Amino acid sequence: MNAKELYTHGLDKLLAADYVAALDYLEQSLEANPEDYNAWEKKAIALTQLDRPEEAIAAKNHAHKLYAQQHPSLILEKTPNDWLQKGYQLYNNGDLTGAIAAYRQSIALNAEYYWAWHNLGLALTDQGEYAGAIEAFQQVIIYNPDLPQTWQSLGHALYQSGRYPEAMKAAEKSLAIDPQYYLAWEVIGSSLYYLEKYENAINAYLKCIEIAPNYHIAWDYLGTTYADINKFSESLAAYNRCLELAPKYATGWYNLGSLLASVGHHGEAIKRYNEALRLTNDRFEDAIYARAKSILHAQGHALSTKNWG
């Protein structure tokens, strides 16, 4: 395989949360083309997920260095693509406001530049501006209706806006274009969950997992849905699988603690809440509150069972 094919395989594995395989493909891609800043950036993501922070930082810094070398006129943007590339850079550096401004400038120069509209929608979604994101994704569809990622992203923004039936329709369109686009099943599952169609939501999450078995978020959502219909064993298995895949996922530890607390296992719940708090440096308010409740329940149980004779 050539560098581009290796990079594509690495990206697919990254999206499927198979970080070991993703790193292997990306490193092979970089052996073939060490100047590919996109591959370096994706390698940094894989290393971060594999808990190798120093290597991740080095890879990200190298990606930025290569980008700057290959885009020397970035400060003097003249074309829609110049502004799109600047938007990428700002977005990857966490500057959503700057990225949005760059994407809008790209669109001002070419209103039909659908990649600028798509990335504007992603940045607006991250900023919680869902109405603007929906409008941006709809603009993409006008100019290119065949991008599964845009339909899925539109579905996600609609879901975040509480427009669940519309969200499912958009996600279904994504799957009609690409049946392997597993994130669309997540949108469908989450929409069904909030419509209280729990069995259908479970089926959607299972379809997501069938395509991407290492996608820990789907396992987490599956566990929550099972818990809501009192399927303790199934919920426990789903949460445990989520945490096997992503042991640093604090929300997963919190959700597992909540499940254990719901059936009276407060001592075990406290351990899971503690892990969630350790991972977030005690900045997880729901976990703090839930742990306090479980501590009170555990203390009450200890007092009620104490032998006073």
Side-chain angles (χ1 to χ4, degrees):
M1 288 187 286
N2 61 34
K4 185 176 180 180
E5 291 170 332
L6 289 164
Y7 171 79
T8 299
H9 281 295
L11 188 58
D12 289 342
K13 294 296 183 181
L14 196 63
L15 290 170
D18 187 351
Y19 303 117
V20 173
L23 182 61
D24 183 49
Y25 277 117
L26 291 167
E27 287 182 335
Q28 290 183 61
S29 173
L30 287 166
E31 286 180 12
N33 180 13
E35 303 300 309
D36 184 354
Y37 60 85
N38 282 315
W40 280 103
E41 204 160 79
K42 300 305 183 293
K43 178 180 177 179
I45 294 171
L47 287 165
T48 298
Q49 294 296 329
L50 292 170
D51 195 24
R52 293 162 62 177
E54 292 182 1
E55 294 171 84
I57 291 169
K60 187 172 184 178
N61 288 340
H62 192 62
H64 291 169
K65 179 181 176 182
L66 288 172
Y67 184 92
Q69 290 172 349
Q70 294 171 29
H71 297 81
S73 63
L74 197 59
I75 298 173
L76 303 173
E77 296 82 3
K78 295 179 180 178
T79 71
N81 187 60
D82 288 340
W83 284 104
L84 178 66
Q85 295 299 326
K86 182 167 187 175
Y88 287 154
Q89 185 182 46
L90 292 166
Y91 182 89
N92 289 328
N93 287 334
D95 184 357
L96 288 177
T97 301
I100 289 167
Y103 295 141
R104 290 193 188 282
Q105 185 61 37
S106 176
I107 291 163
L109 294 171
N110 181 0
E112 298 182 11
Y113 196 22
Y114 56 83
W115 283 121
W117 281 111
H118 179 83
N119 284 280
L120 174 62
L122 294 178
L124 289 169
T125 299
D126 286 355
Q127 207 166 52
E129 296 183 21
Y130 301 119
I134 291 166
E135 181 183 348
F137 294 131
Q138 288 171 336
Q139 288 294 319
V140 177
I141 291 163
I142 290 171
Y143 301 117
N144 187 343
D146 298 321
L147 295 175
Q149 61 267 48
T150 297
W151 284 103
Q152 181 273 331
S153 297
L154 173 61
H156 177 69
L158 289 163
Y159 156 75
Q160 291 289 356
S161 302
R163 296 162 62 178
Y164 305 125
E166 294 172 84
M168 288 190 288
K169 287 181 181 178
E172 287 164 0
K173 181 65 176 177
S174 174
L175 289 164
I177 298 168
D178 181 359
Q180 296 300 305
Y181 207 75
Y182 64 92
L183 292 174
W185 282 114
E186 179 190 339
V187 171
I188 293 170
S190 296
S191 297
L192 289 165
Y193 175 86
Y194 280 99
L195 290 170
E196 298 184 359
K197 297 181 178 181
Y198 298 121
E199 293 291 350
N200 290 337
I202 286 167
N203 289 334
Y205 292 136
L206 289 172
K207 287 180 182 295
C208 180
I209 289 166
E210 182 180 343
I211 299 168
N214 293 329
Y215 184 45
H216 68 280
I217 299 293
W219 285 104
D220 181 44
Y221 291 171
L222 180 64
T224 297
T225 311
Y226 276 134
D228 282 357
I229 57 173
N230 299 313
K231 290 191 174 182
F232 175 82
S233 297
E234 292 88 342
S235 179
L236 181 64
Y239 283 141
N240 282 334
R241 181 57 181 153
C242 168
L243 292 166
E244 286 174 9
L245 293 167
K248 294 195 173 187
Y249 182 50
T251 299
W253 288 106
Y254 167 76
N255 287 337
L256 178 54
S258 297
L259 176 69
L260 292 165
S262 72
V263 293
H265 297 328
H266 292 287
E268 292 301 313
I270 290 166
K271 294 177 185 177
R272 275 64 177 191
Y273 295 141
N274 284 339
E275 183 62 14
L277 290 166
R278 184 187 71 80
L279 290 167
T280 57
N281 295 318
D282 293 325
R283 294 173 184 157
F284 198 150
E285 290 187 11
D286 287 345
I288 292 170
Y289 177 71
R291 181 178 63 176
K293 284 183 64 177
S294 281
I295 289 171
L296 288 173
H297 279 292
Q299 288 174 341
H301 177 74
L303 287 172
S304 68
T305 57
K306 187 173 181 179
N307 183 351
W308 293 97

